[in-house]
Amino acid sequence: MTSLEALPLLRDLVRIPSVNPRGGPGDGGETAVAGYVRDWLARHGVAAELHEVLPGRCGVVAVVPGRDPAAVLLESHLDTVETDGMTVSPFDGEVRGGRLFGRGACDAKGPLAAFMLAAAELARGEPPPHTVVLAGVCDEEHAYRGVLRLLDVLADRRVVGAIVGEPTGLAPAVAHKGVVRYTVRTTGRAGHSSRPEEAVNAVSLMAPVLAHLAAVPPDVAPHPLLGPATRSVTRVRGGTGPNTIPGSCEADVDRRTLPGEDPEAVWQRDRAELAGLGAELDPPFTVDPALDTPPGTPVVDALCRALAAHGRPSDVQGMPFGTDASKLARSGIPSVVFGPGSVRDAHAAAESVELAEVTLAASIVVAAVRGIEGRSAENALGGRASGGGRGREGERSCEGERSCEAAAGSTAVRTSRGPEGHGSADPGPGGMAVRTPRGPEDQGPPGPAPGGTAVPGSAPAVPEESPCD
C-alpha cells in the first residue's frame, strides 16, 4: 500500500460532506458516505451493506471472512463536525506537502480510509485468522446512536476485540476520559435596568459560580494515562435585553471523568458543591463512560506488536477525548483506539492528515489483524471501563498488568436536547439523566453480555422505503 492508493480514496471521502445534523433535519451526508464506502469495498472484493440507524441516516458494515468466525471489529465514523471558521476549503480535498486538507480528513475519514485499505488488503490474501468486520457508523459527533445500532447488528456475532479509528498519531490508546455535561442555573428577579436596586441580577449571581468552577478542579486522583479530571464552562446564557436586569442565568459545564468515577456520584458532588454558592443543577444532558482496556488483551497486544514490527512506538497511551470505544467496551468487546492524524488537527480550521500516515496505519492494522492468530474470544479479557496499570502519565507499557478492577457506575448514556444537542432526558435513580430506548429511531445502550464477549440486542427492522437499501 502506498500514499498514491490512499490519496484518491481519502479525497473522495472528504469531498462528500457529512456534517452531523445534531438532531436537525436530514442526514448531513452520512448515507452518501456510507454508500461510497460500500461501493468502494465491493470493487475491492469486500461485501458490505448499509443499515438504517435513524430515518434516512445509514451506517455501513462490511465483512472479510476469516478462518475463525469470531470477529475483529474495525470501527470508525462517517460524520464530521461543522465547517464554520475553516481557513481551507472544507470539501475540496486539497493536497499540500503530503497532507490532505478538509473537514473530516483527520477526524475520522483518515482512519476510515486506513481501515478500508486494510480490509481490501486482507481480502486479497489468505483468509485472516479471524473474520474482520469493518463498520462505518453515523452520529458519533452527537449522540453515538450509530455505534449503538452497530451493537444490534452484531448481536449474533462473537467479537474478540475492536480497533476504533480516531486520530491518535498511530499510538495505541487503551484509555480515554468520559464526560458528564449538565446545566447550572442561578435565579434572580428581573427588573428595569434604570432601577437595579429593585431587581436581583442573575448574571451577577452566576459570576462567583463561574469563578469557582475556573479555580477549583475536581477532587479526584489523576489517572496514570489520562492525568487529572477536568471541569470546564462551555456556554453561558442570560438576559433578555440591554435594558432589563436578567432574572435568570444558566451555564453549561463539561466535566471530564476518569475510569472508576461514577457519573451519578460526580453530578451529585457537583450539585452539593455549587448549591453552597446559590446555584441549582439540572440533571445531566450527556453522560458517557470512560475507557480503560487492560493492555494485555489480545487485540491490544497484537496492535502493539504490529507497531513495533513497523518501527513505531508501542507503549499504550491515553487520550483526553471520548470515542465509540467506551460503548463497545461496556458491551464486552475489548477495544483500543488507533489511527492516523493528531487530535490537534481534528475539528481545526485547517484540518488535515498526512497521507503517508494513513497508508502506514493501514499496514499496521493488517499486521495486527493477522497477529491475533490462535487467540480465541474465550481468551479475550472483558474491555469494560476498568482501571489499573502504572506508568508515566499518558503512557503505559504493553507488558503491563493483565487484569484491572472494573470501574463502578460506568453507564454508557448519551442524551440530547434538540438541534443543538439539548433535548429531553429521562431522570433515572437519584435524578440521573438516562436515555430510555423508544424504538429504532432512539436506541438506548445495550446491557453487558453474559461472559463478556457476545454482543446483546436485536436489530430493528428497516422500513421498505429505506434509503439504505
Side-chain angles (χ1 to χ4, degrees), residues 7-85:
L7 171 57
L9 170 58
L10 181 55
R11 183 157 53 193
D12 284 351
L13 291 171
V14 169
R15 285 177 172 176
I16 305 172
S18 55
V19 175
N20 193 304
R22 300 191 188 276
D27 75 336
E30 294 160 319
T31 298
V33 178
Y36 176 89
V37 171
R38 176 196 59 196
D39 296 344
W40 188 95
L41 290 171
R43 293 195 300 272
H44 291 80
V46 181
E49 60 181 14
L50 304 191
H51 295 271
E52 189 165 63
V53 177
L54 299 162
R57 298 176 66 181
C58 305
V60 58
V61 176
V63 177
V64 179
R67 297 194 297 274
D68 187 333
V72 176
L73 174 64
L74 308 177
E75 191 260 22
S76 192
H77 62 93
L78 309 169
D79 58 322
T80 73
V81 297
E82 295 76 7
T83 61
D84 301 13

Side-chain angles (χ1 to χ4, degrees), residues 421-451:
H422 302 293
S424 63
D426 298 316
M432 194 65 179
V434 298
R435 191 175 187 85
T436 303
R438 296 179 176 84
E441 73 285 354
D442 189 4
Q443 290 296 312

Side-chain angles (χ1 to χ4, degrees), residues 406-431:
S410 56
T411 304
V413 178
R414 182 90 170 209
T415 64
S416 61
R417 297 193 296 178
E420 294 185 355
H422 302 293
S424 63
D426 298 316

Side-chain angles (χ1 to χ4, degrees), residues 14 83-94 96 100-103 105 348-352:
V14 169
T83 61
D84 301 13
M86 290 195 71
T87 57
V88 298
S89 179
F91 305 124
D92 278 357
E94 176 189 359
R96 284 187 278 115
L100 189 142
F101 291 78
R103 180 56 83 225
E351 182 172 350
S352 68

